Amino acid sequence: GMQSHLQALLSLYKLFCPDQVTITLPGKMKTYFKNSEGPWKAAITAVRQRNQGPSPLSQAVFLGTSQPQSRKRKWNAQLVIPASSTNSKNLEEDRKKNCGYLYNTNMSFPVEQLQTFPQLLQNIHRLEFPSQMGSVLTNPLLLHYMNCVKDESIYLRLYYWMGQMLQEECSWCVVDNPCEEEFKSFLENVYKAECFLQEGFSACEEFLYKTLPLWDGCCCRSEVLKLVSWIPLSSSSDIKSHLYDPLAQLFFTSSIYFKCSVLESLKELLQNWLNCNVIQVDLEFSY
């Protein structure tokens, strides 16, 4: 049978290569890899020492004597697109070269150089996607890329990453979580990305179905109801048990404002379903 340490290892594999791990893993498990970035940081520090000479700060980090940084995530740190190339010297050289040279080569195009829509069009088939999927949500060019290039691996990575983040940072499921404003900001970014793509994320749908029965109707109210409006169309039994029933319990015991907010969200949900259905019918007739 599945052992806890093997599940943790598979979970780590699934984080980086979700298409390679097809089994379902439990949502909550013991943490076995608390400092997985340690060897990488030590290697980076060793390279810096070799190239620039040691500094008191780098020595402290390399020797493990510096104060550990807080493990609390900062959502705004994920809004910056990380460099996807491993060689910063080559990146500097590429930035100095003519853009036409970049367009005429077969080398991959790193996302940190992607600034305009024409650049996206000319490099769309050799775009090097970022390693941190959180940067995709707030970048319109990368969202355009997701719409144009239906790469299943990108959706799998985003699905698994988003599912983990929603589960670990849900402010009404995590005990003593003081960062409700950060979680609100994250949900708002997810909603804006869904509006841009004109479709809901499956990880977000699963999150809502799991947590709505535990929701008090107050925490992140506006953001949660916005996400409800993008739940994909599914069977009526699933919608009733996972969506309507939890909302009905809150609906009949809450204020008029909450009732109106729920009705507005369900109206937008119906509009999104109709729009998606019209697009699907048009595509079928076009073929």
Side-chain angles (χ1 to χ4, degrees):
M2 290 294 291
Q3 300 180 27
S4 57
H5 57 277
L6 293 179
Q7 290 179 346
L9 185 60
L10 286 172
S11 176
L12 189 64
Y13 288 156
K14 193 169 185 179
L15 181 63
F16 294 99
C17 298
D19 54 324
Q20 300 296 321
V21 182
T22 58
I23 64 173
T24 301
L25 297 173
K28 295 183 179 180
M29 62 181 68
K30 184 178 178 181
T31 302
Y32 281 86
F33 306 98
K34 296 182 179 180
N35 192 22
S36 58
E37 295 182 353
W40 287 105
K41 290 180 179 179
I44 292 172
T45 304
V47 172
R48 286 176 177 169
Q49 287 179 336
R50 188 165 60 246
N51 294 339
Q52 302 175 358
S55 65
L57 179 59
S58 62
Q59 282 185 342
V61 174
F62 183 71
L63 296 175
T65 57
S66 62
Q67 291 295 325
Q69 296 182 351
S70 172
R71 295 180 70 248
K72 184 61 186 176
R73 292 180 178 86
K74 296 297 182 183
W75 298 118
N76 56 3
Q78 295 180 356
L79 305 185
V80 180
I81 298 179
S84 54
S85 175
T86 57
N87 194 326
S88 59
K89 185 177 294 185
N90 288 343
L91 284 178
E92 287 298 325
E93 293 176 357
D94 290 341
R95 291 190 184 99
K96 297 177 182 178
K97 293 178 181 179
N98 191 298
C99 290
Y101 172 77
L102 284 174
Y103 299 149
N104 295 327
T105 60
N106 293 323
M107 59 187 294
S108 61
F109 190 87
V111 291
E112 64 268 16
Q113 296 184 16
L114 185 65
Q115 301 295 330
T116 64
F117 192 74
Q119 279 184 323
L120 174 65
L121 294 180
Q122 296 182 33
N123 298 279
I124 195 167
H125 294 300
R126 57 191 186 88
L127 191 66
E128 186 177 352
F129 225 66
S131 58
Q132 297 181 3
M133 294 307 295
S135 61
V136 177
L137 294 179
T138 55
N139 189 298
L141 294 176
L142 294 182
L143 292 175
H144 273 303
Y145 176 84
M146 289 183 61
N147 254 342
C148 296
V149 180
K150 298 298 183 181
D151 189 343
E152 186 178 357
S153 64
I154 295 176
Y155 283 91
L156 280 173
R157 288 176 58 196
L158 189 61
Y159 162 78
Y160 190 69
W161 172 83
M162 188 182 297
Q164 290 289 104
M165 300 303 289
L166 289 169
Q167 175 183 307
E168 294 174 4
E169 301 297 333
C170 178
S171 51
W172 63 88
C173 293
V174 179
V175 181
D176 298 329
N177 188 347
C179 300
E180 181 178 339
E181 290 303 320
E182 292 183 3
F183 189 59
K184 279 185 178 181
S185 176
F186 176 62
L187 295 182
E188 185 67 26
N189 287 331
V190 173
Y191 169 72
K192 290 179 180 179
E194 289 182 330
C195 292
F196 189 97
L197 297 171
Q198 289 294 291
E199 63 177 323
F201 294 114
S202 55
C204 191
E205 177 190 11
E206 293 180 7
F207 164 74
L208 289 173
Y209 284 167
K210 289 179 181 178
T211 60
L212 279 179
L214 307 174
W215 185 46
D216 60 3
C218 296
C219 183
C220 307
R221 175 192 297 166
S222 175
E223 291 75 20
V224 170
L225 292 179
K226 287 178 180 178
L227 295 180
V228 166
S229 67
W230 279 109
I231 290 179
L233 178 62
S234 56
S235 66
S236 57
S237 60
D238 291 340
I239 291 291
K240 181 180 184 302
S241 60
H242 294 111
L243 178 62
Y244 295 152
D245 289 348
L247 288 178
Q249 295 179 3
L250 296 170
F251 185 88
F252 293 115
T253 58
S254 300
S255 64
I256 294 295
Y257 177 78
F258 181 82
K259 290 181 172 66
C260 293
S261 299
V262 171
L263 292 176
E264 178 69 18
S265 177
L266 294 179
K267 184 198 76 172
E268 293 177 359
L269 175 63
L270 179 59
Q271 289 177 339
N272 291 332
W273 284 350
L274 291 174
N275 289 335
C276 291
N277 188 59
V278 168
I279 293 174
Q280 185 64 32
V281 171
D282 289 343
L283 289 175
E284 292 176 358
F285 274 110
S286 65
Y287 289 114

PDB file of all heavy atoms in Angstrom, residues 158-186:
ATOM      1  N   LEU A 158      -0.468  24.446 -13.948  1.00  0.00           N
ATOM      2  CA  LEU A 158      -1.261  25.492 -13.314  1.00  0.00           C
ATOM      3  C   LEU A 158      -2.328  24.894 -12.409  1.00  0.00           C
ATOM      4  O   LEU A 158      -2.588  25.402 -11.315  1.00  0.00           O
ATOM      5  CB  LEU A 158      -1.903  26.364 -14.391  1.00  0.00           C
ATOM      6  CG  LEU A 158      -2.597  27.640 -13.899  1.00  0.00           C
ATOM      7  CD1 LEU A 158      -1.593  28.556 -13.213  1.00  0.00           C
ATOM      8  CD2 LEU A 158      -3.266  28.362 -15.066  1.00  0.00           C
ATOM      9  N   TYR A 159      -2.944  23.787 -12.836  1.00  0.00           N
ATOM     10  CA  TYR A 159      -3.966  23.117 -12.036  1.00  0.00           C
ATOM     11  C   TYR A 159      -3.394  22.623 -10.705  1.00  0.00           C
ATOM     12  O   TYR A 159      -3.967  22.870  -9.643  1.00  0.00           O
ATOM     13  CB  TYR A 159      -4.539  21.941 -12.834  1.00  0.00           C
ATOM     14  CG  TYR A 159      -5.284  20.923 -12.004  1.00  0.00           C
ATOM     15  CD1 TYR A 159      -6.578  21.172 -11.563  1.00  0.00           C
ATOM     16  CD2 TYR A 159      -4.682  19.716 -11.649  1.00  0.00           C
ATOM     17  CE1 TYR A 159      -7.262  20.245 -10.795  1.00  0.00           C
ATOM     18  CE2 TYR A 159      -5.355  18.782 -10.897  1.00  0.00           C
ATOM     19  CZ  TYR A 159      -6.654  19.049 -10.466  1.00  0.00           C
ATOM     20  OH  TYR A 159      -7.310  18.120  -9.695  1.00  0.00           O
ATOM     21  N   TYR A 160      -2.248  21.963 -10.765  1.00  0.00           N
ATOM     22  CA  TYR A 160      -1.694  21.410  -9.532  1.00  0.00           C
ATOM     23  C   TYR A 160      -1.174  22.517  -8.617  1.00  0.00           C
ATOM     24  O   TYR A 160      -1.399  22.494  -7.414  1.00  0.00           O
ATOM     25  CB  TYR A 160      -0.571  20.421  -9.857  1.00  0.00           C
ATOM     26  CG  TYR A 160      -0.118  19.644  -8.647  1.00  0.00           C
ATOM     27  CD1 TYR A 160      -0.946  18.693  -8.057  1.00  0.00           C
ATOM     28  CD2 TYR A 160       1.123  19.876  -8.073  1.00  0.00           C
ATOM     29  CE1 TYR A 160      -0.541  17.996  -6.941  1.00  0.00           C
ATOM     30  CE2 TYR A 160       1.533  19.183  -6.952  1.00  0.00           C
ATOM     31  CZ  TYR A 160       0.698  18.238  -6.397  1.00  0.00           C
ATOM     32  OH  TYR A 160       1.098  17.561  -5.276  1.00  0.00           O
ATOM     33  N   TRP A 161      -0.492  23.509  -9.197  1.00  0.00           N
ATOM     34  CA  TRP A 161       0.025  24.623  -8.382  1.00  0.00           C
ATOM     35  C   TRP A 161      -1.115  25.385  -7.718  1.00  0.00           C
ATOM     36  O   TRP A 161      -1.083  25.655  -6.518  1.00  0.00           O
ATOM     37  CB  TRP A 161       0.839  25.566  -9.269  1.00  0.00           C
ATOM     38  CG  TRP A 161       1.226  26.826  -8.556  1.00  0.00           C
ATOM     39  CD1 TRP A 161       2.286  27.004  -7.714  1.00  0.00           C
ATOM     40  CD2 TRP A 161       0.544  28.084  -8.603  1.00  0.00           C
ATOM     41  NE1 TRP A 161       2.295  28.299  -7.231  1.00  0.00           N
ATOM     42  CE2 TRP A 161       1.249  28.972  -7.763  1.00  0.00           C
ATOM     43  CE3 TRP A 161      -0.590  28.531  -9.272  1.00  0.00           C
ATOM     44  CZ2 TRP A 161       0.844  30.298  -7.586  1.00  0.00           C
ATOM     45  CZ3 TRP A 161      -0.992  29.851  -9.094  1.00  0.00           C
ATOM     46  CH2 TRP A 161      -0.280  30.706  -8.263  1.00  0.00           C
ATOM     47  N   MET A 162      -2.143  25.715  -8.490  1.00  0.00           N
ATOM     48  CA  MET A 162      -3.252  26.492  -7.943  1.00  0.00           C
ATOM     49  C   MET A 162      -4.010  25.704  -6.882  1.00  0.00           C
ATOM     50  O   MET A 162      -4.434  26.250  -5.857  1.00  0.00           O
ATOM     51  CB  MET A 162      -4.193  26.916  -9.070  1.00  0.00           C
ATOM     52  CG  MET A 162      -5.281  27.898  -8.629  1.00  0.00           C
ATOM     53  SD  MET A 162      -6.394  28.327  -9.984  1.00  0.00           S
ATOM     54  CE  MET A 162      -5.250  29.143 -11.097  1.00  0.00           C
ATOM     55  N   GLY A 163      -4.193  24.404  -7.112  1.00  0.00           N
ATOM     56  CA  GLY A 163      -4.869  23.581  -6.123  1.00  0.00           C
ATOM     57  C   GLY A 163      -4.138  23.557  -4.794  1.00  0.00           C
ATOM     58  O   GLY A 163      -4.748  23.649  -3.727  1.00  0.00           O
ATOM     59  N   GLN A 164      -2.806  23.452  -4.862  1.00  0.00           N
ATOM     60  CA  GLN A 164      -2.009  23.459  -3.637  1.00  0.00           C
ATOM     61  C   GLN A 164      -2.120  24.797  -2.903  1.00  0.00           C
ATOM     62  O   GLN A 164      -2.285  24.846  -1.688  1.00  0.00           O
ATOM     63  CB  GLN A 164      -0.548  23.171  -3.975  1.00  0.00           C
ATOM     64  CG  GLN A 164      -0.268  21.754  -4.433  1.00  0.00           C
ATOM     65  CD  GLN A 164      -0.383  20.754  -3.293  1.00  0.00           C
ATOM     66  OE1 GLN A 164      -1.377  20.030  -3.205  1.00  0.00           O
ATOM     67  NE2 GLN A 164       0.595  20.721  -2.426  1.00  0.00           N
ATOM     68  N   MET A 165      -2.034  25.898  -3.646  1.00  0.00           N
ATOM     69  CA  MET A 165      -2.069  27.216  -3.034  1.00  0.00           C
ATOM     70  C   MET A 165      -3.429  27.503  -2.399  1.00  0.00           C
ATOM     71  O   MET A 165      -3.521  28.037  -1.291  1.00  0.00           O
ATOM     72  CB  MET A 165      -1.740  28.288  -4.075  1.00  0.00           C
ATOM     73  CG  MET A 165      -0.372  28.132  -4.709  1.00  0.00           C
ATOM     74  SD  MET A 165       0.985  28.123  -3.507  1.00  0.00           S
ATOM     75  CE  MET A 165       0.971  29.821  -2.988  1.00  0.00           C
ATOM     76  N   LEU A 166      -4.495  27.163  -3.102  1.00  0.00           N
ATOM     77  CA  LEU A 166      -5.833  27.398  -2.566  1.00  0.00           C
ATOM     78  C   LEU A 166      -6.067  26.584  -1.302  1.00  0.00           C
ATOM     79  O   LEU A 166      -6.666  27.059  -0.338  1.00  0.00           O
ATOM     80  CB  LEU A 166      -6.885  27.055  -3.628  1.00  0.00           C
ATOM     81  CG  LEU A 166      -6.978  28.015  -4.811  1.00  0.00           C
ATOM     82  CD1 LEU A 166      -7.858  27.416  -5.906  1.00  0.00           C
ATOM     83  CD2 LEU A 166      -7.524  29.363  -4.372  1.00  0.00           C
ATOM     84  N   GLN A 167      -5.598  25.353  -1.309  1.00  0.00           N
ATOM     85  CA  GLN A 167      -5.796  24.491  -0.152  1.00  0.00           C
ATOM     86  C   GLN A 167      -5.000  24.957   1.051  1.00  0.00           C
ATOM     87  O   GLN A 167      -5.509  24.986   2.180  1.00  0.00           O
ATOM     88  CB  GLN A 167      -5.393  23.059  -0.514  1.00  0.00           C
ATOM     89  CG  GLN A 167      -5.447  22.083   0.664  1.00  0.00           C
ATOM     90  CD  GLN A 167      -4.962  20.707   0.255  1.00  0.00           C
ATOM     91  OE1 GLN A 167      -5.452  20.134  -0.711  1.00  0.00           O
ATOM     92  NE2 GLN A 167      -3.998  20.165   0.962  1.00  0.00           N
ATOM     93  N   GLU A 168      -3.751  25.349   0.823  1.00  0.00           N
ATOM     94  CA  GLU A 168      -2.872  25.698   1.940  1.00  0.00           C
ATOM     95  C   GLU A 168      -3.146  27.084   2.507  1.00  0.00           C
ATOM     96  O   GLU A 168      -2.871  27.334   3.681  1.00  0.00           O
ATOM     97  CB  GLU A 168      -1.408  25.622   1.483  1.00  0.00           C
ATOM     98  CG  GLU A 168      -0.948  24.217   1.123  1.00  0.00           C
ATOM     99  CD  GLU A 168       0.451  24.211   0.553  1.00  0.00           C
ATOM    100  OE1 GLU A 168       1.076  25.299   0.510  1.00  0.00           O
ATOM    101  OE2 GLU A 168       0.927  23.136   0.151  1.00  0.00           O
ATOM    102  N   GLU A 169      -3.696  28.003   1.700  1.00  0.00           N
ATOM    103  CA  GLU A 169      -3.855  29.380   2.144  1.00  0.00           C
ATOM    104  C   GLU A 169      -5.301  29.800   2.350  1.00  0.00           C
ATOM    105  O   GLU A 169      -5.558  30.970   2.615  1.00  0.00           O
ATOM    106  CB  GLU A 169      -3.203  30.323   1.118  1.00  0.00           C
ATOM    107  CG  GLU A 169      -1.729  30.060   0.903  1.00  0.00           C
ATOM    108  CD  GLU A 169      -0.900  30.283   2.155  1.00  0.00           C
ATOM    109  OE1 GLU A 169      -1.316  31.084   3.003  1.00  0.00           O
ATOM    110  OE2 GLU A 169       0.169  29.668   2.281  1.00  0.00           O
ATOM    111  N   CYS A 170      -6.244  28.886   2.223  1.00  0.00           N
ATOM    112  CA  CYS A 170      -7.660  29.239   2.417  1.00  0.00           C
ATOM    113  C   CYS A 170      -7.864  29.794   3.819  1.00  0.00           C
ATOM    114  O   CYS A 170      -7.647  29.111   4.822  1.00  0.00           O
ATOM    115  CB  CYS A 170      -8.537  28.011   2.199  1.00  0.00           C
ATOM    116  SG  CYS A 170     -10.286  28.331   2.478  1.00  0.00           S
ATOM    117  N   SER A 171      -8.307  31.043   3.904  1.00  0.00           N
ATOM    118  CA  SER A 171      -8.337  31.730   5.194  1.00  0.00           C
ATOM    119  C   SER A 171      -9.459  31.257   6.107  1.00  0.00           C
ATOM    120  O   SER A 171      -9.462  31.586   7.292  1.00  0.00           O
ATOM    121  CB  SER A 171      -8.454  33.248   4.976  1.00  0.00           C
ATOM    122  OG  SER A 171      -9.523  33.545   4.111  1.00  0.00           O
ATOM    123  N   TRP A 172     -10.448  30.493   5.616  1.00  0.00           N
ATOM    124  CA  TRP A 172     -11.469  29.963   6.520  1.00  0.00           C
ATOM    125  C   TRP A 172     -11.304  28.467   6.783  1.00  0.00           C
ATOM    126  O   TRP A 172     -12.107  27.865   7.478  1.00  0.00           O
ATOM    127  CB  TRP A 172     -12.877  30.244   6.003  1.00  0.00           C
ATOM    128  CG  TRP A 172     -13.224  29.605   4.702  1.00  0.00           C
ATOM    129  CD1 TRP A 172     -13.745  28.358   4.506  1.00  0.00           C
ATOM    130  CD2 TRP A 172     -13.092  30.196   3.411  1.00  0.00           C
ATOM    131  NE1 TRP A 172     -13.926  28.126   3.171  1.00  0.00           N
ATOM    132  CE2 TRP A 172     -13.550  29.239   2.466  1.00  0.00           C
ATOM    133  CE3 TRP A 172     -12.638  31.423   2.939  1.00  0.00           C
ATOM    134  CZ2 TRP A 172     -13.555  29.491   1.105  1.00  0.00           C
ATOM    135  CZ3 TRP A 172     -12.649  31.670   1.584  1.00  0.00           C
ATOM    136  CH2 TRP A 172     -13.099  30.720   0.684  1.00  0.00           C
ATOM    137  N   CYS A 173     -10.273  27.864   6.204  1.00  0.00           N
ATOM    138  CA  CYS A 173      -9.987  26.447   6.471  1.00  0.00           C
ATOM    139  C   CYS A 173      -8.704  26.268   7.278  1.00  0.00           C
ATOM    140  O   CYS A 173      -8.559  25.269   7.991  1.00  0.00           O
ATOM    141  CB  CYS A 173      -9.859  25.670   5.166  1.00  0.00           C
ATOM    142  SG  CYS A 173     -11.404  25.535   4.241  1.00  0.00           S
ATOM    143  N   VAL A 174      -7.764  27.215   7.162  1.00  0.00           N
ATOM    144  CA  VAL A 174      -6.507  27.129   7.888  1.00  0.00           C
ATOM    145  C   VAL A 174      -6.655  27.832   9.231  1.00  0.00           C
ATOM    146  O   VAL A 174      -7.065  28.995   9.292  1.00  0.00           O
ATOM    147  CB  VAL A 174      -5.354  27.775   7.078  1.00  0.00           C
ATOM    148  CG1 VAL A 174      -4.050  27.703   7.851  1.00  0.00           C
ATOM    149  CG2 VAL A 174      -5.208  27.066   5.736  1.00  0.00           C
ATOM    150  N   VAL A 175      -6.348  27.139  10.302  1.00  0.00           N
ATOM    151  CA  VAL A 175      -6.492  27.689  11.644  1.00  0.00           C
ATOM    152  C   VAL A 175      -5.463  28.790  11.872  1.00  0.00           C
ATOM    153  O   VAL A 175      -4.296  28.659  11.498  1.00  0.00           O
ATOM    154  CB  VAL A 175      -6.325  26.582  12.710  1.00  0.00           C
ATOM    155  CG1 VAL A 175      -6.491  27.157  14.118  1.00  0.00           C
ATOM    156  CG2 VAL A 175      -7.336  25.467  12.474  1.00  0.00           C
ATOM    157  N   ASP A 176      -5.913  29.886  12.480  1.00  0.00           N
ATOM    158  CA  ASP A 176      -5.027  31.008  12.835  1.00  0.00           C
ATOM    159  C   ASP A 176      -4.273  31.547  11.626  1.00  0.00           C
ATOM    160  O   ASP A 176      -3.075  31.788  11.668  1.00  0.00           O
ATOM    161  CB  ASP A 176      -4.021  30.588  13.926  1.00  0.00           C
ATOM    162  CG  ASP A 176      -4.713  30.189  15.225  1.00  0.00           C
ATOM    163  OD1 ASP A 176      -5.784  30.751  15.508  1.00  0.00           O
ATOM    164  OD2 ASP A 176      -4.188  29.320  15.926  1.00  0.00           O
ATOM    165  N   ASN A 177      -4.986  31.712  10.531  1.00  0.00           N
ATOM    166  CA  ASN A 177      -4.380  32.304   9.340  1.00  0.00           C
ATOM    167  C   ASN A 177      -4.701  33.795   9.329  1.00  0.00           C
ATOM    168  O   ASN A 177      -5.847  34.184   9.076  1.00  0.00           O
ATOM    169  CB  ASN A 177      -4.937  31.641   8.076  1.00  0.00           C
ATOM    170  CG  ASN A 177      -4.198  32.088   6.821  1.00  0.00           C
ATOM    171  OD1 ASN A 177      -3.450  33.056   6.848  1.00  0.00           O
ATOM    172  ND2 ASN A 177      -4.410  31.374   5.728  1.00  0.00           N
ATOM    173  N   PRO A 178      -3.720  34.664   9.588  1.00  0.00           N
ATOM    174  CA  PRO A 178      -3.999  36.099   9.700  1.00  0.00           C
ATOM    175  C   PRO A 178      -3.948  36.840   8.370  1.00  0.00           C
ATOM    176  O   PRO A 178      -4.142  38.053   8.340  1.00  0.00           O
ATOM    177  CB  PRO A 178      -2.872  36.570  10.621  1.00  0.00           C
ATOM    178  CG  PRO A 178      -1.711  35.700  10.255  1.00  0.00           C
ATOM    179  CD  PRO A 178      -2.298  34.356   9.856  1.00  0.00           C
ATOM    180  N   CYS A 179      -3.675  36.157   7.275  1.00  0.00           N
ATOM    181  CA  CYS A 179      -3.396  36.841   6.014  1.00  0.00           C
ATOM    182  C   CYS A 179      -4.603  36.784   5.081  1.00  0.00           C
ATOM    183  O   CYS A 179      -4.494  36.344   3.920  1.00  0.00           O
ATOM    184  CB  CYS A 179      -2.170  36.233   5.353  1.00  0.00           C
ATOM    185  SG  CYS A 179      -0.677  36.352   6.358  1.00  0.00           S
ATOM    186  N   GLU A 180      -5.752  37.231   5.559  1.00  0.00           N
ATOM    187  CA  GLU A 180      -6.948  37.202   4.738  1.00  0.00           C
ATOM    188  C   GLU A 180      -6.827  38.154   3.550  1.00  0.00           C
ATOM    189  O   GLU A 180      -7.298  37.851   2.455  1.00  0.00           O
ATOM    190  CB  GLU A 180      -8.176  37.572   5.567  1.00  0.00           C
ATOM    191  CG  GLU A 180      -9.479  37.540   4.782  1.00  0.00           C
ATOM    192  CD  GLU A 180     -10.690  37.857   5.636  1.00  0.00           C
ATOM    193  OE1 GLU A 180     -10.594  37.715   6.874  1.00  0.00           O
ATOM    194  OE2 GLU A 180     -11.721  38.250   5.068  1.00  0.00           O
ATOM    195  N   GLU A 181      -6.198  39.318   3.746  1.00  0.00           N
ATOM    196  CA  GLU A 181      -6.073  40.290   2.663  1.00  0.00           C
ATOM    197  C   GLU A 181      -5.220  39.735   1.522  1.00  0.00           C
ATOM    198  O   GLU A 181      -5.520  39.955   0.348  1.00  0.00           O
ATOM    199  CB  GLU A 181      -5.470  41.596   3.195  1.00  0.00           C
ATOM    200  CG  GLU A 181      -6.398  42.373   4.110  1.00  0.00           C
ATOM    201  CD  GLU A 181      -7.728  42.720   3.447  1.00  0.00           C
ATOM    202  OE1 GLU A 181      -7.700  43.080   2.251  1.00  0.00           O
ATOM    203  OE2 GLU A 181      -8.767  42.613   4.105  1.00  0.00           O
ATOM    204  N   GLU A 182      -4.158  39.024   1.862  1.00  0.00           N
ATOM    205  CA  GLU A 182      -3.325  38.415   0.820  1.00  0.00           C
ATOM    206  C   GLU A 182      -4.099  37.350   0.061  1.00  0.00           C
ATOM    207  O   GLU A 182      -3.976  37.223  -1.160  1.00  0.00           O
ATOM    208  CB  GLU A 182      -2.064  37.824   1.439  1.00  0.00           C
ATOM    209  CG  GLU A 182      -1.105  38.853   1.996  1.00  0.00           C
ATOM    210  CD  GLU A 182       0.167  38.219   2.535  1.00  0.00           C
ATOM    211  OE1 GLU A 182       0.302  36.983   2.413  1.00  0.00           O
ATOM    212  OE2 GLU A 182       1.004  38.956   3.058  1.00  0.00           O
ATOM    213  N   PHE A 183      -4.895  36.575   0.785  1.00  0.00           N
ATOM    214  CA  PHE A 183      -5.695  35.539   0.141  1.00  0.00           C
ATOM    215  C   PHE A 183      -6.765  36.171  -0.751  1.00  0.00           C
ATOM    216  O   PHE A 183      -7.044  35.674  -1.852  1.00  0.00           O
ATOM    217  CB  PHE A 183      -6.343  34.641   1.197  1.00  0.00           C
ATOM    218  CG  PHE A 183      -7.017  33.422   0.629  1.00  0.00           C
ATOM    219  CD1 PHE A 183      -6.301  32.496  -0.113  1.00  0.00           C
ATOM    220  CD2 PHE A 183      -8.372  33.199   0.835  1.00  0.00           C
ATOM    221  CE1 PHE A 183      -6.913  31.367  -0.646  1.00  0.00           C
ATOM    222  CE2 PHE A 183      -8.991  32.076   0.310  1.00  0.00           C
ATOM    223  CZ  PHE A 183      -8.268  31.164  -0.430  1.00  0.00           C
ATOM    224  N   LYS A 184      -7.346  37.283  -0.300  1.00  0.00           N
ATOM    225  CA  LYS A 184      -8.308  38.007  -1.128  1.00  0.00           C
ATOM    226  C   LYS A 184      -7.666  38.454  -2.434  1.00  0.00           C
ATOM    227  O   LYS A 184      -8.248  38.326  -3.509  1.00  0.00           O
ATOM    228  CB  LYS A 184      -8.834  39.237  -0.375  1.00  0.00           C
ATOM    229  CG  LYS A 184      -9.935  38.966   0.623  1.00  0.00           C
ATOM    230  CD  LYS A 184     -10.425  40.284   1.199  1.00  0.00           C
ATOM    231  CE  LYS A 184     -11.563  40.062   2.176  1.00  0.00           C
ATOM    232  NZ  LYS A 184     -12.049  41.353   2.729  1.00  0.00           N
ATOM    233  N   SER A 185      -6.458  39.007  -2.328  1.00  0.00           N
ATOM    234  CA  SER A 185      -5.752  39.479  -3.514  1.00  0.00           C
ATOM    235  C   SER A 185      -5.479  38.329  -4.479  1.00  0.00           C
ATOM    236  O   SER A 185      -5.606  38.475  -5.700  1.00  0.00           O
ATOM    237  CB  SER A 185      -4.445  40.154  -3.095  1.00  0.00           C
ATOM    238  OG  SER A 185      -3.696  40.551  -4.217  1.00  0.00           O
ATOM    239  N   PHE A 186      -5.118  37.172  -3.938  1.00  0.00           N
ATOM    240  CA  PHE A 186      -4.856  36.013  -4.777  1.00  0.00           C
ATOM    241  C   PHE A 186      -6.128  35.561  -5.491  1.00  0.00           C
ATOM    242  O   PHE A 186      -6.117  35.282  -6.700  1.00  0.00           O
ATOM    243  CB  PHE A 186      -4.291  34.878  -3.927  1.00  0.00           C
ATOM    244  CG  PHE A 186      -4.071  33.602  -4.687  1.00  0.00           C
ATOM    245  CD1 PHE A 186      -3.187  33.548  -5.742  1.00  0.00           C
ATOM    246  CD2 PHE A 186      -4.752  32.440  -4.343  1.00  0.00           C
ATOM    247  CE1 PHE A 186      -2.984  32.376  -6.450  1.00  0.00           C
ATOM    248  CE2 PHE A 186      -4.546  31.264  -5.029  1.00  0.00           C
ATOM    249  CZ  PHE A 186      -3.660  31.231  -6.085  1.00  0.00           C
TER     250      PHE A 186
END
